[in-house]
């Protein structure tokens, strides 16, 4: 079973391991914390992630954003030792002009060995449910690079419609409410 969990101190070791190993930029998913030490993750990165989800200490031009980790329980929900992080999804709580014409509400990354197994499709489905609770807009705005057809398929499988495209990417909308 897959589930989403916001960044938190309870899971700090597994979160650090995942974030530090993520590439700096893969298909437009930016990770500013590649290679971060555990101490820096604990003292700076994780508190920043949590603050951002609360709308605190945001850099100019940023909007609140929740960092979710996509967990797999490997069939045993009660035994937390077998739970592992397979991906990270980010949900920006509302749009500004830059996001509306750029990356939108969502960022998604699935660890390489878990790609092509439906994790991203299920992760986005779970994120859409969270978005319905948070996002004031009636649609979820998403973007993917033109050379990332797998990400586009994930969006379309979750009810996405291509709004438009340009030389660099597809801009997709998913209805949250009527």
């Amino acid at each position: 079973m897959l589930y989403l969990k916001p960044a938190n101190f309870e899971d700090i070791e597994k979160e650090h391991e995942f974030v530090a190993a993520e590439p700096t930029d893969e298909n437009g998913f930016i990770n500013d914390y590649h290679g971060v030490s555990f101490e820096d993750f604990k003292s700076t990165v994780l508190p920043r992630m949590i603050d951002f989800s609360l709308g605190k200490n945001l850099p100019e031009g940023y909007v609140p954003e929740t960092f979710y980790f996509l967990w797999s329980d490997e069939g045993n929900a009660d035994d937390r030792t077998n739970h592992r992080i397979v991906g990270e999804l980010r949900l920006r709580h509302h749009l500004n002009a830059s996001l509306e014409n750029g990356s939108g509400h969502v960022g998604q990354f699935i660890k390489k060995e878990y790609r092509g197994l439906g994790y991203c499709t299920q992760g986005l489905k779970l994120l859409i449910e969270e978005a319905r609770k948070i996002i004031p807009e009636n649609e979820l705005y998403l973007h993917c690079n033109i050379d990332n057809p797998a990400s586009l398929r994930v969006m379309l499988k979750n009810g996405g419609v291509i709004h438009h495209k340009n030389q660099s990417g597809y801009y997709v909308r998913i209805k949250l409410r009527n």
Side-chain angles (χ1 to χ4, degrees):
M1 182 176 91
L2 294 176
Y3 61 96
L4 286 178
K5 195 170 181 185
N8 66 82
F9 278 95
E10 175 187 357
D11 301 308
I12 190 169
E13 290 86 7
K14 288 183 179 182
E15 291 169 346
H16 167 257
E17 180 183 338
F18 188 87
V19 170
E22 283 178 294
T24 304
D25 180 356
E26 186 160 314
N27 292 318
F29 185 87
I30 306 300
N31 175 25
D32 293 329
Y33 311 118
H34 173 77
V36 68
S37 72
F38 181 78
E39 279 309 310
D40 286 344
F41 186 79
K42 182 179 179 180
S43 66
T44 305
V45 175
L46 186 55
R48 181 180 296 147
M49 289 174 159
I50 293 169
D51 277 357
F52 281 15
S53 72
L54 301 171
K56 295 180 180 176
N57 302 314
L58 296 170
E60 190 170 329
Y62 279 53
V63 302
E65 172 180 42
T66 300
F67 293 75
Y68 291 95
F69 291 97
L70 181 62
W71 290 81
S72 172
D73 68 11
E74 297 188 29
N76 188 347
D78 296 327
D79 182 4
R80 299 253 325 135
T81 59
N82 289 329
H83 293 218
R84 63 178 189 241
I85 298 174
V86 298
E88 181 186 335
L89 292 97
R90 299 178 190 164
L91 181 63
R92 295 172 199 97
H93 298 194
H94 59 84
L95 297 174
N96 59 20
S98 172
L99 292 171
E100 190 170 326
N101 300 305
S103 58
H105 290 104
V106 175
Q108 52 193 16
F109 172 83
I110 300 296
K111 199 171 180 180
K112 242 182 196 144
E113 59 261 36
Y114 303 114
R115 293 181 190 163
L117 302 172
Y119 288 110
C120 197
T121 300
Q122 284 196 259
L124 182 57
K125 181 179 180 181
L126 293 169
L127 191 72
I128 290 167
E129 292 308 310
E130 293 301 314
R132 287 190 170 106
K133 301 173 200 172
I134 297 170
I135 303 295
E137 292 89 5
N138 290 327
E139 293 181 314
L140 201 59
Y141 284 52
L142 300 98
H143 172 268
C144 67
N145 290 347
I146 200 94
D147 61 353
N148 189 357
S151 188
L152 179 61
R153 280 192 303 275
V154 164
M155 294 173 192
L156 298 177
K157 285 180 185 176
N158 275 286
V161 175
I162 297 171
H163 182 268
H164 66 282
K165 72 176 188 174
N166 62 22
Q167 290 180 329
S168 64
Y170 291 97
Y171 296 81
V172 174
R173 305 292 183 262
I174 297 176
K175 284 261 188 225
L176 293 176
R177 56 192 73 82
N178 293 325

